[in-house]
Amino acid sequence: DAGEHESFMHKEILEQPAAAERVMRGRLNDRFATGHLGGLNLDARELRAIRRVKVLGCGSAYYVGEMGATLIEELARIPASAEAASEFRYRNPIIEPDTLYVAVSQSGETIDTLLAVQEIRRKGGRVIGLVNVVGSAIAREVDGGIYLHAGPEVAVASTKALTNMFLGFAMLALQLGRVRDLSIADGRRLIAGLNALPGKIEQVLATEERLEAIAERLAAAESLFFVGRVRGFPVAREGAQKFKEISYRHAEAYQTSELKHGPLALISPAVPTVAIVPDDELVERNVAALHEIAARGGPLVVVTHDDVELQGLDAERVVVPRTERELDPILLTIPLQLLAYHAAKHLGHDIDKPRNLAKSVTVE
Ligand code: BG6
């Protein structure tokens, strides 16, 4: 059982700093400022020959796959995208020999992801896995990969495995980048950022009480938006997914930039928005879009960095520590886990076993 913890999900949220340390242990090379991922089974020439990266996963693994694709494009400048593994093989995908396919799965047993892997390999493609469960079906099927070392994850809603998936992608992106044009200075900057992350995750977890109070207010709403842009959009998608799967409230993720092209019509005092607003290139545009929500009476929770100028916006501010810009998504994700968790708890739901869902779905 969950021991002294009120649920496995809560236990697993709190385990994230230790889990993050485990996934990085021995996998960062300081001398050459690169990732050192022994299990990829790809030498430097093969790493350099990769022209495209395609990430496949389901649910949270798909959303963290989008975060990972963004990291790979930013650090390695290789075109990268993520796709729901459940859809992949039904559009007769073109499998290319110079594409690296990455299958992401906590359990390693999700049938949709496994079938995508088998389809790729059947057509001669190369697949690596980001998998938590050692010896699982996907782990056995891939050409190489990165074990996540998150420890057993019991709650249906993924938390520590997802964090370690992100870190796995960061190390992979670093390694792909450092056989290309990512400088040693940038490599060092990222390694320092990665090493500091477990302590910063701890700092986010220390704000739980405040997040609990906000979550109780959000739980009263029948419908919510989660919005973000670029690095922040997969964070919003993951936040909405967590919220809907355990609180049973309608939570919809949207690009902040697209609000004005439709969903703004739904904004009212009854529909809160959780906005992801890191202090990045888009911060001013993001804040301007949030003023459009406030003008329609929409309650706002803004997940952001300290000193971000909200221009008088009437909003509840949730501050996460600064890190390297590329690594922002993971620190922005952690408060959303706690918002979903406390909303569900407040509503009295079975947090570890939400209705209609299974931890791993082994039928198509
Ligand atoms: C689901 C779970 O159906 O499977 C999600 O409800 C999870 O929480 C998804 O993200 C993928 O699971 P896995 O084991 O492949 O990472």
Coordinates of all heavy atoms in Angstrom, one line a residue, residues 71-130:
L71 N 12.6 19.8 -27.3 CA 14.0 19.8 -26.8 C 15.0 19.4 -27.9 O 16.0 20.0 -28.1 CB 14.1 18.8 -25.7 CG 13.9 19.3 -24.2 CD1 13.8 18.1 -23.3 CD2 15.0 20.2 -23.8
I72 N 14.6 18.4 -28.6 CA 15.5 17.8 -29.6 C 15.7 18.9 -30.8 O 16.8 19.1 -31.2 CB 15.0 16.5 -30.2 CG1 15.2 15.4 -29.1 CG2 15.8 16.1 -31.4 CD1 14.5 14.1 -29.3
E73 N 14.6 19.5 -31.2 CA 14.7 20.5 -32.2 C 15.6 21.7 -31.7 O 16.4 22.2 -32.5 CB 13.3 21.0 -32.6 CG 12.7 20.1 -33.6 CD 11.6 20.7 -34.5 OE1 11.3 22.0 -34.3 OE2 11.1 20.1 -35.3
E74 N 15.4 22.1 -30.5 CA 16.1 23.3 -30.0 C 17.6 23.0 -29.8 O 18.4 23.8 -30.2 CB 15.6 23.7 -28.6 CG 14.2 24.3 -28.6 CD 13.9 24.9 -27.2 OE1 13.7 24.1 -26.3 OE2 13.9 26.1 -27.0
L75 N 17.9 21.8 -29.2 CA 19.3 21.6 -28.9 C 20.1 20.9 -30.0 O 21.3 21.2 -30.2 CB 19.4 20.7 -27.6 CG 18.8 21.3 -26.4 CD1 18.9 20.3 -25.2 CD2 19.5 22.6 -26.0
A76 N 19.4 20.1 -30.8 CA 20.2 19.4 -31.8 C 19.9 19.9 -33.2 O 20.5 19.6 -34.2 CB 19.8 17.9 -31.8
R77 N 18.8 20.7 -33.3 CA 18.4 21.3 -34.6 C 18.1 20.1 -35.6 O 18.5 20.2 -36.8 CB 19.4 22.3 -35.2 CG 19.7 23.5 -34.3 CD 18.5 24.2 -33.9 NE 17.9 25.0 -34.9 CZ 16.6 25.4 -34.9 NH1 15.8 25.0 -33.9 NH2 16.0 26.1 -35.9
I78 N 17.5 19.1 -35.1 CA 17.0 18.0 -36.0 C 15.4 18.1 -36.0 O 14.9 18.3 -34.9 CB 17.3 16.6 -35.4 CG1 18.8 16.5 -35.2 CG2 16.8 15.5 -36.3 CD1 19.2 15.2 -34.4
P79 N 14.8 18.1 -37.2 CA 13.3 18.2 -37.1 C 12.8 17.0 -36.3 O 13.1 15.9 -36.5 CB 13.0 18.0 -38.6 CG 14.2 18.3 -39.4 CD 15.4 18.0 -38.5
A80 N 11.9 17.4 -35.4 CA 11.4 16.4 -34.5 C 9.9 16.7 -34.2 O 9.5 17.8 -34.1 CB 12.2 16.3 -33.2
S81 N 9.1 15.6 -34.1 CA 7.7 15.8 -33.8 C 7.2 14.6 -33.0 O 7.8 13.5 -33.0 CB 6.9 16.0 -35.0 OG 7.0 14.9 -35.8
A82 N 6.1 14.7 -32.3 CA 5.5 13.6 -31.6 C 4.1 13.3 -32.1 O 3.5 14.2 -32.7 CB 5.4 14.0 -30.1
E83 N 3.7 12.1 -32.0 CA 2.4 11.7 -32.5 C 1.8 10.7 -31.5 O 2.5 9.9 -30.9 CB 2.6 11.1 -33.9 CG 1.3 10.7 -34.6 CD 1.6 10.3 -36.0 OE1 2.6 10.7 -36.6 OE2 0.7 9.6 -36.6
A84 N 0.5 10.6 -31.5 CA -0.2 9.6 -30.6 C 0.1 8.3 -31.3 O -0.2 8.0 -32.4 CB -1.7 9.9 -30.6
A85 N 0.7 7.4 -30.5 CA 1.0 6.0 -31.0 C -0.2 5.3 -31.5 O -0.1 4.5 -32.4 CB 1.8 5.2 -30.0
S86 N -1.3 5.6 -30.9 CA -2.6 4.9 -31.2 C -3.1 5.2 -32.6 O -3.8 4.5 -33.2 CB -3.7 5.3 -30.2 OG -3.7 6.7 -30.1
E87 N -2.6 6.3 -33.2 CA -3.0 6.8 -34.5 C -2.0 6.4 -35.6 O -2.4 6.2 -36.8 CB -3.2 8.3 -34.6 CG -4.4 8.8 -33.9 CD -5.7 8.4 -34.6 OE1 -6.0 9.0 -35.7 OE2 -6.4 7.5 -34.2
F88 N -0.8 6.2 -35.2 CA 0.3 6.2 -36.1 C 0.2 5.2 -37.2 O 0.2 5.5 -38.4 CB 1.6 5.9 -35.3 CG 2.9 5.8 -36.1 CD1 3.4 7.0 -36.6 CD2 3.5 4.6 -36.3 CE1 4.6 7.0 -37.4 CE2 4.7 4.6 -37.0 CZ 5.2 5.8 -37.6
R89 N -0.1 3.9 -36.9 CA 0.0 2.9 -38.0 C -1.2 2.9 -38.9 O -1.2 2.3 -40.0 CB 0.3 1.5 -37.5 CG -0.8 0.9 -36.7 CD -0.3 -0.3 -35.8 NE -1.4 -0.9 -35.2 CZ -1.8 -2.1 -35.6 NH1 -1.2 -2.9 -36.4 NH2 -2.9 -2.6 -35.0
Y90 N -2.2 3.7 -38.5 CA -3.5 3.7 -39.3 C -3.4 4.7 -40.5 O -4.3 4.8 -41.3 CB -4.7 3.9 -38.4 CG -4.9 2.7 -37.6 CD1 -4.5 2.6 -36.3 CD2 -5.4 1.5 -38.2 CE1 -4.6 1.5 -35.5 CE2 -5.6 0.4 -37.5 CZ -5.2 0.3 -36.1 OH -5.3 -0.8 -35.4
R91 N -2.3 5.5 -40.5 CA -2.3 6.4 -41.7 C -1.1 5.9 -42.6 O -0.5 6.7 -43.3 CB -2.1 7.8 -41.3 CG -1.0 8.1 -40.3 CD -0.9 9.5 -39.9 NE 0.4 9.7 -39.2 CZ 1.6 9.7 -39.7 NH1 1.7 9.5 -41.0 NH2 2.6 9.8 -39.0
N92 N -0.8 4.7 -42.6 CA 0.2 4.1 -43.5 C 1.5 4.9 -43.5 O 1.9 5.5 -44.5 CB -0.4 3.9 -44.9 CG 0.5 3.0 -45.7 OD1 1.3 2.3 -45.2 ND2 0.4 3.1 -47.1
P93 N 2.1 5.1 -42.3 CA 3.2 6.0 -42.2 C 4.4 5.6 -43.0 O 4.7 4.5 -43.3 CB 3.6 5.9 -40.7 CG 3.1 4.5 -40.3 CD 1.9 4.3 -41.1
I94 N 5.1 6.7 -43.5 CA 6.3 6.5 -44.3 C 7.5 6.3 -43.3 O 7.7 7.2 -42.5 CB 6.6 7.7 -45.2 CG1 5.4 7.9 -46.1 CG2 7.9 7.6 -45.9 CD1 5.3 9.3 -46.7
I95 N 8.1 5.1 -43.3 CA 9.2 4.8 -42.4 C 10.5 5.1 -43.2 O 10.8 4.5 -44.2 CB 9.1 3.4 -41.9 CG1 7.8 3.1 -41.2 CG2 10.3 3.1 -41.0 CD1 7.4 4.0 -40.0
E96 N 11.3 6.0 -42.6 CA 12.6 6.3 -43.3 C 13.8 5.8 -42.5 O 13.8 5.9 -41.3 CB 12.7 7.8 -43.5 CG 11.6 8.3 -44.4 CD 11.5 9.9 -44.3 OE1 11.4 10.4 -43.2 OE2 11.5 10.5 -45.4
P97 N 14.8 5.3 -43.2 CA 16.0 4.8 -42.5 C 16.8 5.8 -41.7 O 17.5 5.4 -40.8 CB 16.8 4.2 -43.6 CG 16.3 4.8 -44.9 CD 14.9 5.2 -44.7
D98 N 16.7 7.1 -42.1 CA 17.5 8.1 -41.3 C 16.6 8.8 -40.3 O 17.0 9.9 -39.8 CB 18.2 9.1 -42.3 CG 17.2 9.7 -43.3 OD1 16.0 9.4 -43.2 OD2 17.7 10.4 -44.2
T99 N 15.4 8.3 -40.0 CA 14.6 8.8 -38.9 C 14.9 7.9 -37.7 O 15.0 6.7 -37.7 CB 13.1 8.7 -39.3 OG1 12.9 9.6 -40.4 CG2 12.3 9.2 -38.1
L100 N 15.0 8.6 -36.5 CA 15.1 7.9 -35.2 C 13.7 7.9 -34.6 O 13.2 9.0 -34.4 CB 16.1 8.5 -34.3 CG 16.2 7.8 -32.9 CD1 16.8 6.4 -33.0 CD2 17.1 8.7 -32.0
Y101 N 13.1 6.7 -34.4 CA 11.8 6.6 -33.8 C 12.0 6.4 -32.3 O 12.9 5.6 -31.9 CB 11.0 5.5 -34.4 CG 10.7 5.8 -35.9 CD1 11.6 5.4 -36.9 CD2 9.6 6.5 -36.2 CE1 11.3 5.7 -38.2 CE2 9.3 6.8 -37.5 CZ 10.2 6.4 -38.5 OH 10.0 6.8 -39.8
V102 N 11.2 7.1 -31.5 CA 11.4 7.0 -30.0 C 10.0 6.6 -29.4 O 9.1 7.4 -29.6 CB 11.8 8.3 -29.4 CG1 12.1 8.2 -27.9 CG2 13.1 8.9 -30.1
A103 N 10.0 5.4 -28.8 CA 8.7 5.0 -28.2 C 8.8 5.3 -26.7 O 9.8 4.9 -26.1 CB 8.5 3.5 -28.4
V104 N 7.8 6.0 -26.2 CA 7.8 6.4 -24.8 C 6.7 5.7 -24.1 O 5.5 5.7 -24.5 CB 7.5 7.9 -24.7 CG1 7.7 8.4 -23.3 CG2 8.5 8.7 -25.7
S105 N 7.0 5.0 -23.0 CA 6.0 4.3 -22.2 C 6.5 3.9 -20.8 O 7.5 3.4 -20.6 CB 5.6 3.0 -22.9 OG 4.7 2.2 -22.2
Q106 N 5.7 4.3 -19.8 CA 6.0 3.9 -18.5 C 6.0 2.4 -18.3 O 7.0 1.8 -17.9 CB 5.0 4.6 -17.5 CG 5.3 4.5 -16.0 CD 5.1 3.1 -15.4 OE1 6.0 2.6 -14.8 NE2 3.9 2.5 -15.7
S107 N 4.8 1.8 -18.6 CA 4.6 0.4 -18.4 C 5.4 -0.5 -19.4 O 5.8 -1.6 -19.1 CB 3.2 0.1 -18.5 OG 2.7 0.3 -19.9
G108 N 5.6 0.1 -20.6 CA 6.2 -0.8 -21.6 C 5.3 -1.8 -22.2 O 5.7 -2.7 -22.9
E109 N 4.0 -1.7 -21.8 CA 3.0 -2.7 -22.2 C 1.8 -2.1 -23.0 O 0.9 -2.8 -23.4 CB 2.4 -3.4 -21.0 CG 3.5 -4.1 -20.1 CD 4.2 -5.3 -20.8 OE1 3.6 -5.8 -21.8 OE2 5.2 -5.8 -20.3
T110 N 1.8 -0.8 -23.1 CA 0.7 -0.2 -23.9 C 0.6 -0.7 -25.3 O 1.5 -0.5 -26.1 CB 0.8 1.4 -23.8 OG1 0.8 1.8 -22.5 CG2 -0.3 2.1 -24.6
I111 N -0.5 -1.4 -25.6 CA -0.6 -2.1 -26.9 C -0.4 -1.1 -28.1 O 0.2 -1.5 -29.1 CB -1.8 -3.0 -27.0 CG1 -1.7 -4.0 -28.1 CG2 -3.1 -2.2 -27.1 CD1 -0.8 -5.1 -27.9
D112 N -1.0 0.0 -28.0 CA -1.0 1.0 -29.1 C 0.5 1.4 -29.4 O 0.9 1.5 -30.6 CB -1.8 2.2 -28.8 CG -3.3 2.0 -28.8 OD1 -3.8 1.2 -29.7 OD2 -4.0 2.6 -28.0
T113 N 1.3 1.6 -28.4 CA 2.7 1.9 -28.6 C 3.5 0.7 -29.1 O 4.3 0.9 -30.0 CB 3.2 2.5 -27.2 OG1 2.3 3.4 -26.7 CG2 4.6 3.1 -27.4
L114 N 3.2 -0.4 -28.5 CA 3.9 -1.6 -28.9 C 3.6 -1.9 -30.4 O 4.5 -2.3 -31.2 CB 3.4 -2.8 -28.1 CG 4.0 -4.2 -28.4 CD1 5.6 -4.2 -28.2 CD2 3.4 -5.3 -27.6
L115 N 2.4 -1.8 -30.9 CA 2.0 -2.1 -32.3 C 2.7 -1.0 -33.2 O 3.1 -1.4 -34.3 CB 0.5 -2.1 -32.5 CG -0.2 -3.3 -31.9 CD1 -1.7 -3.1 -31.9 CD2 0.2 -4.6 -32.6
A116 N 2.8 0.2 -32.7 CA 3.5 1.2 -33.5 C 5.0 0.8 -33.7 O 5.6 0.9 -34.8 CB 3.4 2.6 -32.9
V117 N 5.6 0.3 -32.6 CA 7.0 -0.1 -32.6 C 7.2 -1.3 -33.6 O 8.1 -1.3 -34.4 CB 7.5 -0.5 -31.2 CG1 8.8 -1.3 -31.3 CG2 7.6 0.7 -30.3
Q118 N 6.2 -2.2 -33.5 CA 6.3 -3.4 -34.4 C 6.2 -3.0 -35.9 O 6.9 -3.5 -36.8 CB 5.3 -4.4 -34.0 CG 5.7 -5.1 -32.7 CD 4.7 -6.0 -32.0 OE1 3.5 -5.9 -32.4 NE2 5.1 -6.8 -31.1
E119 N 5.3 -2.0 -36.1 CA 5.1 -1.6 -37.5 C 6.4 -0.9 -38.1 O 6.8 -1.1 -39.2 CB 3.9 -0.5 -37.5 CG 3.7 0.2 -38.8 CD 2.9 -0.7 -39.9 OE1 2.6 -1.9 -39.6 OE2 2.7 -0.2 -41.0
I120 N 7.0 -0.1 -37.2 CA 8.2 0.6 -37.7 C 9.3 -0.5 -37.9 O 10.0 -0.4 -39.0 CB 8.7 1.6 -36.6 CG1 7.7 2.7 -36.4 CG2 10.1 2.1 -36.9 CD1 7.8 3.5 -35.1
R121 N 9.5 -1.4 -37.0 CA 10.6 -2.4 -37.2 C 10.3 -3.3 -38.4 O 11.2 -3.7 -39.1 CB 10.8 -3.1 -35.9 CG 11.2 -2.2 -34.8 CD 11.9 -2.9 -33.6 NE 13.2 -3.3 -33.9 CZ 13.7 -4.5 -33.8 NH1 13.0 -5.4 -33.3 NH2 15.0 -4.7 -34.1
R122 N 9.0 -3.6 -38.6 CA 8.6 -4.5 -39.7 C 9.0 -3.8 -41.0 O 9.4 -4.5 -42.0 CB 7.1 -4.7 -39.7 CG 6.6 -5.8 -40.5 CD 5.1 -5.9 -40.4 NE 4.4 -4.7 -40.8 CZ 4.3 -4.3 -42.1 NH1 4.8 -5.0 -43.1 NH2 3.7 -3.1 -42.4
K123 N 9.0 -2.5 -41.0 CA 9.4 -1.7 -42.3 C 10.8 -1.3 -42.2 O 11.3 -0.5 -43.0 CB 8.5 -0.5 -42.4 CG 7.0 -0.8 -42.7 CD 6.2 0.5 -42.9 CE 4.8 0.3 -43.4 NZ 4.0 1.5 -43.4
G124 N 11.6 -1.9 -41.3 CA 13.0 -1.6 -41.3 C 13.5 -0.4 -40.6 O 14.6 0.0 -40.7
G125 N 12.6 0.3 -39.9 CA 13.0 1.5 -39.1 C 13.7 1.2 -37.8 O 13.6 0.0 -37.3
R126 N 14.4 2.2 -37.3 CA 15.1 2.0 -36.0 C 14.4 2.7 -34.9 O 14.0 3.9 -35.0 CB 16.5 2.6 -36.2 CG 17.4 2.4 -35.0 CD 18.6 3.3 -35.0 NE 19.5 3.0 -36.1 CZ 20.6 2.2 -35.9 NH1 20.8 1.6 -34.8 NH2 21.4 2.0 -36.9
V127 N 14.1 2.0 -33.8 CA 13.3 2.5 -32.7 C 14.1 2.4 -31.4 O 14.7 1.3 -31.1 CB 12.0 1.7 -32.4 CG1 11.1 2.5 -31.6 CG2 11.3 1.4 -33.7
I128 N 14.1 3.5 -30.6 CA 14.7 3.3 -29.3 C 13.5 3.6 -28.3 O 12.5 4.2 -28.6 CB 15.8 4.3 -28.9 CG1 15.3 5.8 -29.1 CG2 17.0 4.1 -29.8 CD1 16.3 6.8 -28.4
G129 N 13.6 3.1 -27.1 CA 12.6 3.2 -26.1 C 12.9 4.1 -24.9 O 14.1 4.1 -24.5
L130 N 11.9 4.8 -24.4 CA 12.1 5.5 -23.1 C 11.1 4.8 -22.2 O 9.9 5.1 -22.3 CB 11.8 7.0 -23.2 CG 12.9 8.0 -23.2 CD1 13.7 7.8 -24.5 CD2 12.4 9.4 -23.1

